Amino acid sequence: MKLAKAVLIVMALFLTGGSFNIYGQDKYGSEPDKCKTNLSLFHEAVKMKNYEAAIEPWEWCVENCPTASKIIYSDGLKMAEAKYDEAAGVIPVKKGEKIETNDYIFKVEKKYYDTSKSNKEEMSKYAIDVILVYNLRVKHFPENLGKVYSDWANFLFKRAVLENLILKEEIFDKLSLSFKADPTGMSVKNLGKYFQTVTDIEKDVNPQLVFDTYDDITEAVTLKMDKYSRELDVINEKLAKGGELTSKEKSKKRAREVNLRALGQVEGYLDNTLTEVATCDRLIPLYKDNFEKNKNNATWLKRAVSRLNQKECTDNPIYPSMVEAYVNAAPSSDAFVFYAGILMEQGDSNKAIEYFNKAIDLEPDNYKKAKYYYRVALIFKKKGSRSKAREYARLAIKQRPSMGSAYLLISNLYASSANTCGTDEISKRMVYVAAADKARQAKAADPGITSTANKYIKSYMASAPSKKLVFTEGLESGSTHKVGCWINESAKIP
């Protein structure tokens, strides 16, 4: 393949600091018409997977107008990786066909490879091509690097598996560059790999770095999820009003639902990894040691207070001290909600409600209001005020209809009331059905919470009335049952 020759020529210039725009020409080089023609020629050939036809015009563009378009590098990677896969013994799989793995057949990402048919020398050669193209992509188009470095790490991981190489340091290096550039550009799996590696290395020597990394990831992912949720809410509102979606809106709806489901898995990955590190026994001493030097650092205080609250480490005297410092450092809606929680714990409910309302009134953004209502709902849940917790969860949903976590909170409140809201076996078990219904509403409203919601549904429906019990009680499957007590909702008998 001529690809290596072309890339090596360009890399020679890259490594020596050479420039392609030596005559001051625009991005299409000194022969713009020929550049545009060759761009079109190789791109169409690559789309048809006719890589041999693509090589010559691609080489010309790499050598003469390397800044003309990102497709020079995206298509270059497609060609180089296709050649690498071919040398690695990739197995063409027909739709519906199942491939069994064994000692020599491996599955990497979504592809299968028969390593007994691999050519290690060719694999090594084409791997160099892939890496060189990645270097050129970063040099000429240093944008969207979160995804670029994440994809680069994926290729290195594939090499490590198929060529039996030790590339842990190289993979972590690319994941680190990806994370620093843009964590939201990383795949869910790579975010998990990166965070696991950081945790393994730093949990005993620098746990604060582990927490900071966790916060950086979750904050970036939350921003992206909020953006997608807002877009989805607009589309769903149109549907709710009887409107018909355009083909573009339908496509966007599907894309956003997929995006949210993928991003929704991130928190689960991170929390599972963080569980052994973020314990009260570790957190309290860490924050005590660092509190004095950070008592005016609003970002540090916000993160520390949030983590102590999330992990229910609020009984230690350091917690109210940190919350008060947070209120002083950044008097804001977020800080006031935490402060209200302390007042509630101290039994000053009236003052707490005053601060809750103050926080809500100060916040103009409905999505942020929803988060504050939700946090208040969690405070009431902790105090055992289930009805009040549901009231605030519903207020959160009113501000943000796609807030699946608020539906799941209500679902959990219902399930925890089964013994107190039922007078006999059938009525107690129907409480679980009502709880499962709320979990179904959660995933319908928020695709990002699908995985968690499914676990709730499976758990609650395991306690739902059996067909035998329904028959014994003389009831009919599919009929409506009124769940009483404070829940006061109807659910269909399974």
Side-chain angles (χ1 to χ4, degrees):
M1 186 181 182
K2 299 179 182 178
L3 179 62
K5 177 185 174 185
V7 175
L8 285 170
I9 291 171
V10 179
M11 280 303 294
L13 287 171
F14 170 70
L15 293 171
T16 56
S19 172
F20 292 92
N21 290 324
I22 54 176
Y23 302 109
Q25 64 263 25
D26 66 13
K27 67 177 186 176
Y28 293 108
S30 59
E31 299 179 75
D33 290 339
K34 187 172 182 179
C35 178
K36 292 173 187 176
T37 299
N38 281 332
L39 281 172
S40 178
L41 286 173
F42 80 69
H43 186 53
E44 290 304 314
V46 169
K47 284 199 290 187
M48 301 296 291
K49 296 186 179 180
N50 186 356
Y51 301 137
E52 293 307 314
I55 288 299
E56 189 173 336
W58 181 85
E59 284 182 353
W60 191 95
C61 289
V62 170
E63 293 181 35
N64 294 280
C65 54
T67 60
S69 172
K70 279 186 286 191
I71 66 168
I72 294 173
Y73 308 103
S74 58
D75 282 358
L77 287 169
K78 286 177 185 175
M79 290 190 286
E81 287 214 48
K83 284 295 183 181
Y84 178 87
D85 286 348
E86 185 181 339
V90 68
I91 302 172
V93 181
K94 296 177 182 177
K95 190 174 182 180
E97 183 182 2
K98 290 186 177 180
I99 304 292
E100 295 292 331
T101 58
N102 52 39
D103 291 341
Y104 55 89
I105 293 181
F106 293 88
K107 183 181 182 183
V108 184
E109 296 297 325
K110 297 180 181 179
K111 293 181 179 179
Y112 291 88
Y113 298 85
D114 183 347
T115 56
S116 68
K117 298 179 181 178
S118 65
N119 184 322
K120 292 292 175 62
E121 187 178 337
E122 290 289 294
M123 289 169 70
S124 180
K125 182 175 73 174
Y126 291 124
I128 292 172
D129 289 349
V130 173
I131 292 168
L132 292 179
V133 177
Y134 268 120
N135 274 304
L136 290 171
R137 165 64 169 83
V138 172
K139 173 181 169 60
H140 294 299
F141 291 94
E143 56 197 56
N144 197 22
L145 293 184
K147 185 177 187 312
V148 172
Y149 283 122
S150 182
D151 291 344
W152 194 340
N154 287 341
F155 175 72
L156 293 174
F157 176 76
K158 178 165 70 174
R159 279 200 78 190
V161 173
L162 298 178
E163 298 181 56
N164 195 26
L165 300 173
I166 298 174
L167 298 174
K168 285 185 179 180
E169 289 186 11
E170 291 87 342
I171 292 169
F172 183 64
D173 175 61
K174 294 301 175 286
L175 291 178
S176 298
L177 290 169
S178 175
F179 180 77
K180 288 172 185 174
D182 177 15
T184 64
M186 301 174 76
S187 67
V188 172
K189 188 176 290 187
N190 279 351
L191 275 170
K193 286 179 187 174
Y194 177 72
F195 187 63
Q196 181 66 65
T197 305
V198 170
T199 302
D200 291 342
I201 295 171
E202 304 289 352
K203 65 182 179 183
D204 294 320
V205 294
N206 190 0
Q208 185 63 56
L209 177 62
V210 176
F211 300 141
D212 288 344
T213 304
Y214 175 94
D215 291 330
D216 287 340
I217 295 173
T218 52
E219 286 171 11
V221 169
T222 297
L223 281 174
K224 184 162 277 193
M225 289 186 76
D226 283 354
K227 176 179 179 291
Y228 291 156
S229 292
R230 288 175 195 271
E231 293 173 0
L232 204 53
D233 280 346
V234 171
I235 293 172
N236 287 333
E237 185 179 0
K238 182 177 179 179
L239 282 172
K241 291 179 179 179
E244 189 172 333
L245 300 183
T246 64
S247 58
K248 186 176 180 180
E249 287 172 328
K250 288 178 183 177
S251 177
K252 188 174 187 179
K253 184 175 187 294
R254 285 193 297 270
R256 291 298 172 255
E257 288 171 347
V258 170
N259 294 147
L260 285 167
R261 275 194 291 272
L263 290 169
Q265 297 176 51
V266 173
E267 192 172 354
Y269 272 107
L270 303 186
D271 286 342
N272 288 337
T273 305
L274 195 64
T275 299
E276 66 173 282
V277 183
T279 62
C280 294
D281 289 340
R282 279 177 176 263
L283 291 171
I284 295 297
L286 175 69
Y287 290 144
K288 277 184 176 179
D289 291 343
N290 290 281
F291 177 46
E292 193 61 34
K293 67 181 179 182
N294 286 291
K295 63 193 312 180
N296 295 313
N297 184 337
T299 300
W300 185 89
L301 289 165
K302 177 181 179 178
R303 289 179 168 186
V305 166
S306 297
R307 179 156 292 107
L308 289 175
N309 185 273
Q310 181 187 20
K311 295 297 178 180
E312 298 185 355
C313 309
T314 55
D315 295 333
N316 192 282
I318 191 67
Y319 178 72
S321 298
M322 289 171 65
V323 172
E324 288 179 15
Y326 180 30
V327 171
N328 291 328
S332 59
S333 295
D334 189 69
F336 291 152
V337 172
F338 282 117
Y339 188 59
I342 291 176
L343 293 172
M344 186 71 76
E345 286 292 326
Q346 294 172 347
D348 195 346
S349 298
N350 291 334
K351 193 74 172 175
I353 295 297
E354 180 184 326
Y355 269 90
F356 285 149
N357 293 334
K358 186 176 182 180
I360 298 300
D361 291 342
L362 279 174
E363 183 54 64
D365 184 270
N366 287 347
Y367 270 47
K368 290 182 180 178
K369 279 185 180 180
K371 290 178 183 177
Y372 299 144
Y373 278 130
Y374 178 72
R375 198 180 296 161
V376 175
L378 290 174
I379 292 170
F380 278 114
K381 179 195 173 189
K382 186 179 178 183
K383 288 186 67 67
S385 303
R386 292 169 181 159
S387 180
K388 203 70 177 172
R390 179 179 65 176
E391 178 187 333
Y392 276 91
R394 284 174 169 172
L395 287 171
I397 292 167
K398 186 176 179 181
Q399 295 295 327
R400 179 179 175 177
S402 60
M403 194 172 197
S405 54
Y407 283 106
L408 285 184
L409 174 58
I410 297 173
S411 173
N412 182 261
L413 292 168
Y414 286 4
S416 65
S417 301
N419 288 327
T420 55
C421 282
T423 55
D424 54 20
E425 185 177 4
I426 191 75
S427 60
K428 288 180 180 181
R429 290 186 176 277
M430 281 305 297
V431 176
Y432 288 108
V433 177
D437 286 346
K438 287 299 173 189
R440 291 189 185 95
Q441 282 184 270
K443 70 175 186 176
D446 181 4
I449 215 161
T450 299
S451 178
T452 304
N454 284 338
K455 291 176 185 176
Y456 275 54
I457 294 165
K458 183 179 180 180
S459 173
Y460 296 153
M461 289 308 292
S463 299
S466 64
K467 296 289 183 185
K468 182 179 178 181
L469 178 61
V470 172
F471 177 77
T472 303
E473 294 291 327
L475 300 172
E476 187 178 344
S477 180
S479 60
T480 301
H481 176 89
K482 185 66 176 286
V483 179
C485 194
W486 70 271
I487 296 175
N488 196 30
E489 287 188 4
S490 296
K492 288 189 176 181
I493 297 173

